[in-house]
Each structure stands twice: as C-alpha cells, then as structure tokens.
Amino acid sequence: MSIKIDNLNDPTDSLSARVSDLIGRMTLEEKVAQTMLVAVNHIETQAIGDLGIGAILSGGGANPEPNNPANWLAMVDGCRQAALQSRLGIPILYGVDAVHGHNNMRGAVIYPHNIGLGAARDADLVRRIGRATAVETYVSGVRWDFAPTLAVPQDIRWGRTFEGFGEDTALVSELGRAYIEGLQGDDPAAEFSVLATAKHYFADGGTTYGTAEFVFPVVPELGVMEEVPFLVDQGDTRLDEATLRKVHLAPYLAALRAGVLTVMASFSKWNGVKLHAHHYLLTELLKEELGFPGFVVSDWEGVRDSHLDPYTAVVTCYNAGIDMNMVSFGWHEKMELLHTAVQKGDVSLERLEDAVCRILTVKLRAGLFEQLESSDRYLPLIGSSEHRALAREAVVKSAVLLKNEKQTLPLPQDAPRILVAGAWADDIGLQCGGWTIAWQGEIGPITSGTTILEGLRAQAGPEMVIDFEPDGRFDGERAAYGIVCVGETPYAEGLGDRANLALDADQAALIERVRAQCDYLIVVLISGRPLIISEGLPYIDALVAAWLPGSEAGALAELIFGKATFSGKLSYTWPRSMDQVPTACAKEEGPLFPYGFGLTT
Ligand code: BGC
C-alpha cells in the first residue's frame, strides 16, 4: 500500500520526474548521505533518520541477538522506519549477503554454495534457488542481496573459489543470469522480489597468485590470532584487455540482460590499478559502453582501501564511478570527506547528483516507495518444507562422483553394518562452510538442518547398524562398508587463500585407519574447491565431491543408498598435485579429473 508524503510517492509520476523532483528538494548534506551504505552495527538507528542515510547493511555475522527471523524483521524495520522519519522520507535499501540462502539468519534454508550449483549444471534449479532465497530474504524485511558472485575463478588457491559457479565463463554467465532472474522475479518491485548485485566487478577471479598486498590484522573475535597475508584475494589481474573481457566480462553482460540494477566493485586491481578507482572500467566501460542503468556500490571499505590518504580515496573513487560507499568505522568522517570534496569542486555536484539519481531510480524501480509497511505474516515461509526440499534437490544434483570401483556405490540396503567416520559427517557448520551465520562460518550445530549422518540413519534399511566414530576408532569387527567424511574447515575471502591444498595429514590418516577396518571404502569430501587427494586415491573405492552442501546435506544419503543417481559434473578442473595449480589442463600429464568429469550410478 502506498502512503503519500507530499507528491514524492505518487506512483503516477514518471520515474525520472519523481527522481528529479526529489533531487531538487535535497540539500547537499542529504545528497551525500544518500550515497552512504553503513554497517548496521556501526550506526545508531536515530542517525539514519536525522541524516537521511541511503542504505544499511548487515555484513557477514551482523545478526540480531537472539538470531531469529522475528528479530531480523524487527532490526531491519527499525532502520526502515528511521529512514521514513527523515526530512524527505526517502526509504532505505537494506542489504545482506544472502549468497547461499539467507545465510546469516538462523533457521533459513542454506543451499549448496555456488561451486555445487555449477556442478549441478541446471539453470532452472539455480533460478528456483534464487527465488526461494528472495522469499526468505524479503520476508525478513531485506530487499537487497549482495549476490550473485560472477567471478570466473582461475586459481583454486583463492578463498572465494566456492563462491564462483565454476572456472568457465559461459557456465558462470548462464547460472549468474538465472540467479538474478530468480532473485528479482519478473519485476523487482513485486512482492517477494529482492534486488540482485552482480559482484565483484570485475575479474576478481583472475588475480595473479602472490600479487595481493592486503594483510588481514589480528582479530581474536574472528579467531584470527596472527596477521594473515592474502595470496590471491584482492590481488592484481594481469591480463591484456581482450583476454580480460573475454574471460571475465561476459557474465556481466548476461547480468545486465537479466536486469541487474546494482553492481559491486571488486577489491582487486587490473594491471596495477584498483577497480574502485578505475574510471575506464567503472564509467567508460560499464556505464557508458554497456549502458548500465543502475548504481555501483563499493565493497566493504573498498573506497578507504584504495588510497592511503582518505580524502584522495573518496575523491578518486567517486570520480571513477563509485555511486555508493560501503562503510563501517568512522562512517561519519567519510561522509564529511565527500561533502568537503563537493564543496571544493574536487567531486562535481553533477557527479554526486548522477550517483544520487542512480540510487533513487533503483529504489523507485524496486518499489521501495510503494511498500512502506512491513508484516510478520509471512515469517513461517522461512525454512519452509518446500525450500528444504529444493535444497535437497540441489544437494543431490551437485554432488560429483569421481571414482566408483567395485560398484561400491550405491550401497546395498541390506548391508548389515556401516562405519561412518570424520567430523564432517555430523556437523552442520562444516557442511555449510563460510558465509553461514558468521562471516567465516562456524563449526557445530549453528542452524537447523540435517547432517549426512542423520540422512544416512533416516534412510538406512531396517536391519542396518550405523556406527559413527569421528576419529575412526571403531570397536568390534570389521565391516563391509566404511564412509569417511573429510574436507575443509569453514573460511571466507582471503582468509581462505591457501598455498597448499593437500588433504590434512590427520584426515589422510583417518582414511587409512578406516580403510583397514572395511572392505569397501567411500570418501565424501566436503570442501570449497578441489583438494589434492592423488596419494590416497588408490585406497579409496568410491570418492564423492559434495562441495559445501549446506543445511540439507542429509540428502547425500539418497545418492549413497541409490534412491537418486549421481549426475553432477565438475565445474573446476581437478589437479593431480600443486604443480598443476593454477593451470592443470595446460600440463602434459593432464589433470586428475578434467573439467566436466562426473560418473553416474
Ligand atoms: C565482501 C563482499 C560482501 C561485503 C559485505 C566484503 O568483505 O567482499 O562480497 O558483499 O563484504 O558483507
């Protein structure tokens, strides 16, 4: 329902007339404030209305306490109401990283990370997941999603590999487009539609190993006890322009065709120049050549990090084409810097108004001016059985069967006893990975869902005994079948950059231990990328790459017991050794498993 504030919310006016009318009424301070995207845990709600702040975000882990859907709605609505109290009553945009479901919110359905969706090779599935994610996000009051990631990762040492659908440009384009169509529906202003963000513009997946200059500081609350130099994340993409466009730009063309209205700049550089400060790529290419009609949002403090001098950073980035500044600490000072820059003419009023015009246009197109009320009546849609069924479908379609000797899989329903080992078999946090409840993810029962072990127990034959020992030290006789679940512990962004992707020694030892106690050994890998497993492979009868399957990982039991058949295909080349990273296919010996590989049962 539309509430009228002067004629600002008159939907009968044409969009551009409404925008011009609004801009004509705004003070310089209000225009500057409209371009700010402030982290919710760094701003007093009152300030949103007092200053007319344009947008608020919950970064990874910025959740209400207790973390539940009703409190999410209350938190977001508090910010929305504050904005409506501002002098002009311009609604805010509220953004979150719903990158595999509304993953910060406890109780939401967590879908497989994009690497798994890439393996599922099913655009319709991705579209439906985008839709379901939009529904759960919308219901919590949030209308803007910082997803999908359109990176085309070329080096699996990158801690964001799993956020990419795959290493192939065409695959990323197809699935990225489907995701956007799902999030935004037919009309971004419709009920249950959420604005998508194409990120991170662009070529974030093409950075050269060793070129990242960023060092993550000690942050004990995140468990980071010593400085972590990034290896791939936020590095420099060293490519000629033709290759840059060919490999990394195409997904953005697809996203624009799908009607994406916001684009997030990448922390990375192109041939030494930060994307946030890149006039050619942000303004000449994206806005002028491609005609992008929406706005460009910075990444988290991406403006600040673009130059040592904070004033130069603001001037350079806004002039390059950043329209909205994502900020945390000291947001007020950063806002003041832009104000000063416009007063001094270092950023023209015209450039500022172009940014504001783009932001207001997107807000109008998203229907924010027409939807001024929120409601808790749809909260039961969060974590619904339909959404859980969709996630189960995605888990089944995304798992890739890499080896299946002696017809080990599917397991016979009448197997008397199965040994299950490895913490990954029974841990929702481990199976969800980073970007789940907390930015870096967490180990343990962090949200509702079904573990692999629970899935196995639920689907086991009536006589079957399933013994679970995380460390693989079973009492009693050997069994016909053993299942070992191992993989990576959760991480996100550059904190997940790794020089060496070999399976941990204690996990290799666990596989050996269980091997000695069973006739047929199945290994399920839960990881955000291919891991180096060549040495242990001869001892494994069946190997499944399950990626980061999310809250419904129990569905893997359907594949294991043959109630569903394996169909996933690798969306990344699987190297034999670290010598083959990043270019396994270029080496003579060839990769362990090529791109597109996947057995069926
Ligand atoms: C990430 C983005 C994310 C933003 C907000 C940044 O650290 O690079 O992908 O959207 O945080 O949470």
Side-chain angles (χ1 to χ4, degrees), residues 105 178 205 218 235 305 325 478 487 509 549:
M105 184 169 68
V218 173
D305 292 345
N325 190 1
R478 54 188 285 124

Side-chain angles (χ1 to χ4, degrees), residues 37 57-61 95-99 104 145-147 149 160 163 197 199-200 204 233-234 264-267 297-301 326 435 439 493:
L37 167 58
L57 85 144
S58 281
V96 298
D97 296 285
V99 298
N104 279 317
D145 186 3
F146 306 134
T149 294
R160 307 194 82 153
E163 293 185 59
T197 308
K199 76 182 188 184
H200 309 81
D204 52 342
D233 194 39
Q234 308 196 13
M264 187 184 292
S266 173
F267 284 132
V297 60
S298 82
D299 202 340
W300 178 275
E301 296 292 6
M326 191 196 296
W435 295 108
W439 176 43
E493 301 191 40

Side-chain angles (χ1 to χ4, degrees), residues 366-399:
L368 295 186
F369 287 76
E370 274 72 59
Q371 293 172 356
L372 303 177
E373 287 171 359
S374 71
S375 161
D376 58 8
R377 70 178 184 281
Y378 292 126
L379 285 180
L381 293 177
I382 292 168
S384 70
S385 50
E386 283 83 1
H387 294 171
R388 294 206 185 272
L390 177 60
R392 292 175 70 83
E393 178 187 341
V395 169
V396 165
K397 288 184 168 167
S398 62

